[in-house]
Amino acid sequence: MNIPDKSSLVDRHHIKIRFSEVDSMQIVWHGSYIKYLEDGRESFGNHYKIGYNDVCAQGYTIPVVKLSCDYKLPLRYGDTAIVETRFVNSDAAKILFEYSIFRESDAALIMGATSMQVFLNKNNELELYAPSFFIDWKKRWNL
């Protein structure tokens, strides 16, 4: 399969659709896709060393504050999905991702999505400037 890469920082994660994720119409329940995006973020973080534990070790949390989904086609029980997670560089104190979910068997685009996460310090206060560890992480990847 040849899925175009729109960013230098991209991760692809495969998910086998389980029976518990489909609804009475035998298609993936819409809420399950949000979990797939979370799986994509976790895979991206582990791959590029900016995972949830990495951020927490620096004294921050990064809650999702915005999520937008555009459903195109359904997935069904037994399909394998590929969650492509792309980092979107920004000077703001936030982490932005774009996602594409493809069906592995035919490379059909199933869903597109975007998310925004912000940095909260150990007092649960919003950081208005990117933390130094995040700036250093971006420099490591030439962003």
Side-chain angles (χ1 to χ4, degrees), residues 73-93:
L73 294 169
L75 287 169
R76 299 184 182 282
Y77 172 65
D79 284 342
T80 297
I82 300 171
V83 180
E84 182 181 88
T85 306
R86 291 177 303 280
F87 178 78
V88 178
N89 195 19
S90 170
D91 291 333

Side-chain angles (χ1 to χ4, degrees), residues 33-133:
Y33 290 94
I34 306 306
K35 292 178 184 179
Y36 302 158
L37 300 179
E38 183 73 24
D39 292 343
R41 280 193 305 278
E42 185 174 16
S43 180
F44 181 96
N46 291 336
H47 184 206
Y48 289 103
K49 309 299 183 225
I50 189 82
Y52 295 114
N53 288 335
D54 300 310
V55 174
C56 287
Q58 298 295 322
Y60 296 91
T61 58
I62 48 171
V64 173
V65 295
K66 187 173 183 179
L67 181 64
S68 176
C69 303
D70 187 14
Y71 299 93
K72 306 283 188 186
L73 294 169
L75 287 169
R76 299 184 182 282
Y77 172 65
D79 284 342
T80 297
I82 300 171
V83 180
E84 182 181 88
T85 306
R86 291 177 303 280
F87 178 78
V88 178
N89 195 19
S90 170
D91 291 333
K94 56 182 82 170
I95 299 177
L96 304 172
F97 287 111
E98 292 179 344
Y99 310 85
S100 297
I101 298 180
F102 299 93
R103 185 172 37 237
E104 183 180 55
S105 63
D106 61 0
L109 178 62
I110 302 300
M111 177 189 192
T114 59
S115 70
M116 177 192 309
Q117 295 168 266
V118 296
F119 292 95
L120 300 181
N121 63 28
K122 61 185 172 184
N123 297 319
N124 240 12
E125 299 164 330
L126 178 67
E127 289 291 316
L128 300 178
Y129 301 98
S132 59
F133 84 92

Side-chain angles (χ1 to χ4, degrees), residues 10-28:
V10 63
D11 180 77
R12 291 189 182 97
H13 180 70
H14 291 72
I15 298 172
K16 183 78 170 174
I17 305 305
R18 301 177 317 158
F19 180 76
S20 63
E21 297 165 335
V22 300
D23 62 19
S24 61
M25 296 178 284
Q26 302 302 306
I27 61 174
V28 170

